[in-house]
């Protein structure tokens, strides 16, 4: 550990309140339920002072053997320029095999550091916020049925999500659905699950995602069902390729506020996806 007298180690449930305060120190809004989901789904590392104060953190979430997501990289403003961000990121990278591609969604501040570590930009997402949701004037008639989540739906959701995201996210989804304010599934005439969406109530925003659907019209129905009865500001992050869905968001009162890059280490491309992902879970989960 060069240039400082701090301990880098794995963080646990007892550290959640400190992690919330660390998040607040940089203007982010991680809350207890979000951090708990991250810890159950993956690993969190961070630097502590000799007095036990957490001054940095980062999380790595493995999805089976062919993808991991890195995020929640935070350094307290009073401890910057000590190389803590690089060190905690490297610890996350070292926690998974070198054969596993690691993805992250970069902030402008973090992108140069990730590039120095070997990450390359391979795509981008689009972040949308909405302070006043506008319901659609006309609703397209679609040949699908929508139902509240039931535990019996989980195997179908996991299978569908794997095709949409290119990785098995069973552990994460099993936890995330319990955290969800609302969870909805879509079924075809044969009763097969062909779509799903969750909403997560954060301290500032109602986060809509993941959203997986056979097409943008079905995705817009899922969006409406999750957004219509809520008073919180809405947030959804969508893959850049889903331009038609982005146009729907603008019609519904959303505004695109940023388009951060998706970066990848240990690979040239993200795992193959079937273009049914219309909203990511959150930037830390990819």
């Amino acid at each position: 550990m060069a240039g400082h007298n701090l301990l880098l180690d794995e963080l646990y449930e007892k550290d959640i309140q400190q992690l919330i305060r660390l998040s607040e120190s940089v203007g982010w809004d991680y809350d207890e339920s979000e951090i708990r989901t991250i810890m159950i789904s993956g690993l969190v590392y961070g630097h502590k002072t000799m007095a036990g104060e957490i001054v940095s953190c980062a999380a790595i979430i493995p999805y089976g053997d062919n993808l991991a997501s890195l995020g929640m990289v935070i350094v307290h403003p009073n401890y910057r320029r000590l190389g803590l961000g690089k060190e905690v990121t490297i610890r996350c990278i070292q926690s998974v095999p070198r054969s596993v591609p690691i993805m992250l969604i970069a902030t402008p501040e973090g992108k140069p550091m990730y590039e120095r570590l070997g990450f390359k930009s391979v795509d981008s997402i689009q972040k949308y916020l909405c302070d006043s949701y506008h319901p659609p004037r006309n609703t397209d008639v679609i040949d699908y049925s929508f139902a509240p989540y039931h535990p019996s739906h989980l195997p179908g959701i996991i299978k569908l999500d794997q095709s949409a995201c290119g990785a098995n996210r069973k552990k994460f989804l099993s936890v995330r659905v319990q955290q969800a304010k609302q969870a909805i599934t879509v079924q075809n005439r044969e009763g097969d699950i062909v779509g799903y969406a969750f909403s997560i109530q954060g301290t500032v925003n109602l986060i809509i995602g993941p959203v997986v659907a056979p097409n943008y019209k079905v995705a817009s129905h899922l969006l409406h069902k999750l957004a219509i009865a809520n008073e919180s500001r809405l947030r959804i992050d969508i893959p850049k390729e889903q331009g038609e869905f982005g146009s729907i968001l603008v019609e519904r009162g959303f505004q695109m506020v940023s388009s951060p890059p998706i970066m990848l280490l240990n690979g040239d491309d993200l795992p193959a996806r079937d273009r049914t992902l219309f909203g990511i879970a959150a930037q830390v989960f990819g």
Side-chain angles (χ1 to χ4, degrees):
M1 308 287 287
H4 57 71
N5 190 24
L6 302 168
L7 176 65
L8 174 57
D9 207 352
E10 187 175 350
L11 305 179
Y12 298 97
E13 186 175 345
K14 63 182 175 59
D15 300 307
I16 288 177
Q17 293 306 313
Q18 280 212 63
L19 288 169
I20 292 171
R21 291 194 290 273
L22 179 61
S23 167
E24 292 171 345
S25 76
V26 296
W28 291 4
D29 58 351
Y30 283 98
D31 61 16
E32 182 173 348
S33 62
E34 190 77 343
I35 295 173
R36 195 178 303 277
T37 295
I38 293 167
M39 286 184 165
I40 294 171
S41 304
L43 299 167
V44 180
Y45 295 97
H47 288 91
K48 288 185 178 181
T49 67
M50 298 302 291
E53 178 190 2
I54 296 173
V55 297
S56 82
C57 69
I60 185 82
I61 302 162
Y63 297 135
D65 298 325
N66 65 333
L67 186 66
S69 183
L70 190 149
M72 201 172 77
V73 181
I74 306 172
V75 177
H76 192 284
N78 294 341
Y79 288 83
R80 290 177 178 166
R81 297 199 171 103
L82 297 176
L84 305 189
K86 179 180 178 180
E87 289 178 357
V88 73
T89 298
I90 290 173
R91 176 62 66 89
C92 287
I93 293 169
Q94 292 173 339
S95 72
V96 299
R98 290 187 178 183
S99 59
V100 175
I102 301 173
M103 67 171 292
L104 61 82
I105 298 171
T107 62
E109 298 79 13
K111 187 171 182 284
M113 179 191 75
Y114 300 132
E115 289 175 335
R116 289 193 293 271
L117 290 173
F119 284 85
K120 296 180 181 179
S121 297
V122 294
D123 206 341
S124 64
I125 64 162
Q126 296 175 340
K127 174 183 174 181
Y128 286 84
L129 296 176
C130 176
D131 291 312
S132 180
Y133 177 72
H134 307 321
R137 295 180 181 177
N138 299 302
T139 302
D140 291 323
V141 177
I142 55 176
D143 198 16
Y144 299 95
S145 60
F146 297 80
Y149 169 80
H150 185 273
S152 63
H153 297 157
L154 187 58
I157 287 175
I158 292 168
K159 182 179 179 181
L160 190 70
D161 184 85
Q162 184 165 357
S163 296
C165 298
N168 188 330
R169 305 199 299 175
K170 177 179 179 180
K171 187 175 184 180
F172 162 64
L173 291 168
S174 301
V175 180
R176 192 62 159 181
V177 73
Q178 300 301 320
Q179 184 189 356
K181 180 178 180 180
Q182 281 185 275
I184 300 172
T185 59
V186 186
Q187 298 179 18
N188 61 18
R189 283 185 172 185
E190 290 73 33
D192 302 317
I193 293 177
V194 296
Y196 81 93
F198 300 162
S199 66
I200 306 295
Q201 184 62 65
T203 57
V204 177
N205 306 310
L206 181 75
I207 301 166
I208 297 176
V211 177
V212 174
N215 56 61
Y216 79 92
K217 291 183 179 180
V218 176
S220 68
H221 277 259
L222 286 166
L223 168 75
H224 179 67
K225 290 178 181 296
L226 295 175
I228 187 61
N230 292 281
E231 297 180 357
S232 301
R233 185 172 69 176
L234 304 174
R235 172 176 176 172
I236 184 170
D237 295 4
I238 75 170
K240 181 185 67 174
E241 66 186 20
Q242 302 295 5
E244 290 175 305
F245 187 53
S247 298
I248 295 291
L249 292 175
V250 173
E251 292 174 5
R252 303 277 176 91
F254 285 80
Q255 180 179 5
M256 191 177 76
V257 296
S258 63
S259 184
I262 300 172
M263 306 188 75
L264 193 68
L265 182 71
N266 301 337
D268 296 321
D269 296 294
L270 292 169
R273 302 179 173 194
D274 64 4
R275 298 178 64 89
T276 59
L277 182 66
F278 286 85
I280 69 170
Q283 292 191 11
V284 64
F285 299 114

